[in-house]
Each structure stands twice: as C-alpha cells, then as structure tokens.
Amino acid sequence: MISKLHICFLGVAYLAGSICAHAQSAEATQLMQATNEDRAQHGLGPLRWDPALARAAQEHAHQMVRHGELSHQYAGEPDLTTRAGHDGAHFSTVAENIAVAPNPQTVESEWMHSPPHRHNILDPRLTTVGIGLVRQGNNLWAVEDFSAAVVQMGSSQIEQKIEQMVAERGIRSVTASSAARQTCAMDHGFAGTRPNFIMRWEGSDLNRLPDVLEEKLSTGRYRTAAVGACSSGNRGQGFTTYRMAVMLF
C-alpha cells in the first residue's frame, strides 16, 4: 500500500502513469518555483534548471513507479552520483529528495517540514536542480536532484583564471607555461627552472586560491609566477575537479 504522502531524501557531501518530459513540465515548474521561493525566504539565491539532472531525476521517478515504493536506489540501478554523471551532470556535491503526494505544493510543504529534506533545499552550496515527475492517478511521484554545479572549462581558461588571481596579489609577471603544465601533472619534483615554491592542488572552486599559496603570495618575496593546468583524471562526468600548479620565483 502507498500512503497518500510518503517522502524520502538523500544528501551526499561530497512505468505507469503519464510521463513528463526532460524539459520543465507545468508541475515541475511549480515545484521548482516553490523550492526557489523557500530559498528566497531564507536569503538564498535561486537554483538553476539543469537538464542533465532532470534526465537522471525523470528516470528515477519511473523506477519508483515501476517498484511501487520510494527508494534512492533499487537493485541493479546505479547510485545517485553515477546516474547523474551518466546523464551529463558535472558537480562537486549532489543531493536528492523523493516523494509521492497529490501535487507539487504538498510535496514542497512536506519537504520543508522534514529536517533532512529542508536541509537539501536550503543548502547554500547547491546551485542547480533537475526535477522528474510521473503522474499516476492521484499520486505524483517526485524526484528533485540538486547539485553544486562545476562549470566545464578548458586548460587555457583555467590558467587564465589562476593567472588573474595571482597577478591581483602583486606578482609582477604571471604567465602560463609548458613547464608549469608538466609540473602540474607530476606528483613530485618540477619541470624547467627550479622554482622557489611549488603549489599543486585539485579542486572545483576557481574563485579562490589555497590558503598556503595565499600566505606565500602575501610575503612579497616572489616576483614572477608560472601557472599550469593539467588533467585531474576525473574531469569527465559526475564529480568534477580541476588540477592546477603555480610555480613562484
């Protein structure tokens, strides 16, 4: 038996009935608007629609209807991170709420009255959302997948971002170089001229430099820098990071 309302959530820090399209249906739009209104009431920016997350959410909504029960993963089904990545999403964090209820407004209301679901909706790290819905009589099977999206960038774009931040901290000459790119790809050592300091790191946020590098730059002892980006090994689908190196001279 399926109760009138049943909800579940999944947070990761790191078919019967009519079928909704991967684009936003009217009910998906209503649910997304309700989610963003709740975020706005708590001083948070709106979530952007992600078609890749919507594809993953829609397929999982069909799975819930097929099984006639709520679950974040069924036997033989990939987990959330795998299926979101398979459908083309790129992220540093992914989370999920699921429910079955009469309408979008009831789904959102019950999620907001449930601490785990509320946490996902109001998580300030999350930037995108995709919604999958299947209407089955009076029941609306709902999946809302969230992520902290990672923008796909080429090596030259990554290097330009790092170059700009390093230059803003007083380094006279900052350039991308093949030596820095080779150094980036190495676990130890360096390529080219011996630097006074090497910083290698991997992350998904290109809006800040590592604290250790910030500290070195603040000393005023360095005059030039070489920047290089290289493959992180996981810049495909799913969890996505960038790998970078800065050599200070």
Side-chain angles (χ1 to χ4, degrees):
M1 282 292 293
I2 300 171
S3 60
K4 183 177 181 182
L5 174 74
H6 193 176
I7 60 177
C8 190
F9 81 101
L10 177 62
V12 180
Y14 332 132
L15 314 220
S18 62
I19 299 174
C20 300
H22 299 315
Q24 287 177 264
S25 67
E27 288 183 310
T29 298
Q30 292 171 23
L31 184 52
M32 181 177 177
Q33 288 176 341
T35 295
N36 280 333
E37 286 170 3
D38 284 327
R39 286 175 62 89
Q41 289 175 10
H42 291 80
L44 299 173
L47 299 170
R48 303 186 308 275
W49 182 261
D50 185 332
L53 288 179
R55 287 191 292 271
Q58 188 64 48
E59 175 54 32
H60 191 65
H62 295 325
Q63 290 283 356
M64 293 196 303
V65 173
R66 291 188 188 106
H67 288 82
E69 62 181 4
L70 292 177
S71 175
H72 289 287
Q73 185 179 11
Y74 301 97
E77 182 190 28
D79 63 12
L80 171 60
T81 58
T82 302
R83 64 178 185 262
H86 180 268
D87 278 304
H90 299 270
F91 47 81
S92 60
T93 300
V94 65
E96 179 174 86
N97 286 351
I98 60 177
V100 56
N103 53 60
Q105 292 75 21
T106 305
V107 169
E108 181 67 16
S109 175
E110 293 298 325
W111 279 342
M112 286 298 290
H113 285 86
S114 167
H117 305 86
R118 180 186 178 93
H119 173 79
N120 284 343
I121 291 169
L122 301 181
D123 189 334
R125 299 172 302 168
L126 302 177
T127 58
T128 59
V129 66
I131 295 171
L133 302 173
V134 175
R135 168 64 68 181
Q136 186 186 48
N138 292 326
N139 286 319
L140 183 67
W141 296 78
V143 179
E144 191 168 46
D145 287 345
F146 311 85
S147 83
V150 176
V151 177
Q152 289 302 283
M153 301 176 70
S155 293
S156 61
Q157 293 173 298
I158 297 169
E159 290 168 351
Q160 288 171 11
K161 288 277 290 183
I162 302 302
E163 286 175 49
Q164 180 180 352
M165 286 190 287
V166 172
E168 288 172 350
R169 286 150 180 79
I171 301 300
R172 185 177 63 227
S173 176
V174 185
T175 58
S177 74
S178 60
R181 294 181 192 114
Q182 293 176 52
T183 299
C184 175
M186 300 164 64
D187 291 328
H188 306 284
F190 60 92
T193 304
R194 176 184 291 273
N196 298 108
F197 176 77
I198 301 172
M199 183 77 210
R200 274 179 283 249
W201 76 99
E202 190 169 323
S204 56
D205 185 357
L206 290 180
N207 294 312
R208 62 186 301 271
L209 298 172
D211 291 342
V212 173
L213 181 55
E214 290 277 19
E215 182 180 349
K216 291 293 184 181
L217 294 172
S218 69
T219 65
R221 296 193 313 222
Y222 306 98
R223 295 292 177 267
T224 65
V227 174
C230 58
S231 174
S232 66
N234 67 345
R235 285 173 57 197
Q237 297 168 333
F239 281 115
T240 302
T241 58
Y242 311 108
R243 183 173 171 86
M244 298 146 283
V246 171
M247 304 166 70
L248 299 179
F249 302 89

